[in-house]
Amino acid sequence: MLLSEVLHGFASCVLTPSIAAISLALVGRARLGERLGRNTRFAALGAPSPRA
């Protein structure tokens, strides 16, 4: 159980900056804010409702 928690923590620390770096490489600095906003919208679509 401890190992799985450590791996989950490591993955979450690495994944977010990786997605931001890929987004920067795809769209450039000028459109990065717009792209990060889009990424956030798509991430929120999969989140459960607070009323659930």
Side-chain angles (χ1 to χ4, degrees):
M1 187 61 144
L2 179 62
L3 178 61
S4 66
E5 289 183 17
V6 169
L7 290 175
H8 180 264
F10 176 75
S12 64
C13 288
V14 172
L15 189 61
T16 303
S18 299
I19 292 172
I22 291 169
S23 295
L24 176 60
L26 287 174
V27 299
R29 283 184 187 255
R31 295 184 55 212
L32 182 61
E34 178 184 341
R35 181 64 194 192
L36 291 177
R38 184 176 179 189
N39 290 350
T40 302
R41 284 194 306 266
F42 279 113
L45 287 175
S49 170
R51 291 179 241 164

